[in-house]
Amino acid sequence: MTATTGSGRLTTHVLDTALGKPASGLKIELFRLSGADRVHLKSVVTNDDGRTDGPMLEGADLTEGSYELVFSAGDYIRRTASGDDDILFLDEIPIRFGIDNAGQHYHVPLLLSPFGYSTYRGS
């Protein structure tokens, strides 16, 4: 694999499947992983549509390699009252993924409820 940059982008969004609506106001942090190093790149908060206002990374900032998105689900679940317990089943949700072609669009959505989540490579 060669380390290239391109015109691709990384996006995400969060849907609250328990409430049946976008998860607004949810903090997301992005890290680049390199061996034992974990470098913080960006922190954002989802808008009313459960999306970020722009790509997490794009253009020359998106390079091939390993990344991690950390979704602050616990704070969101407490705020929306869909989690009434002091100790939540889910709190921070890390999703690690690889980018092998910096010219493509990588979309990493999160489908969230107080007791489960799923993700996939979207379009």
Side-chain angles (χ1 to χ4, degrees), residues 32-98:
R32 176 154 173 98
L33 308 173
S34 179
D37 293 333
R38 185 174 179 248
V39 178
H40 183 264
L41 300 177
K42 188 179 229 182
S43 294
V44 297
V45 175
T46 57
N47 60 26
D48 289 344
D49 197 32
R51 299 180 183 276
T52 60
D53 288 332
M56 297 293 289
L57 290 175
E58 64 182 326
D61 292 332
L62 181 69
T63 59
E64 294 173 357
S66 297
Y67 293 86
E68 180 180 58
L69 286 168
V70 179
F71 297 84
S72 295
D75 293 340
Y76 169 81
I77 291 167
R78 281 186 183 93
R79 191 178 74 253
T80 59
S82 56
D84 297 329
D85 298 328
D86 289 335
I87 299 174
L88 298 175
F89 181 69
L90 293 173
D91 195 355
E92 288 191 344
I93 299 173
I95 298 175
R96 290 190 172 187
F97 58 96

Side-chain angles (χ1 to χ4, degrees), residues 5 11 17 55 66 70 72 74 76 103 115 121:
T5 61
T11 58
T17 58
S66 297
V70 179
S72 295
Y76 169 81
F115 299 101
R121 180 173 176 192

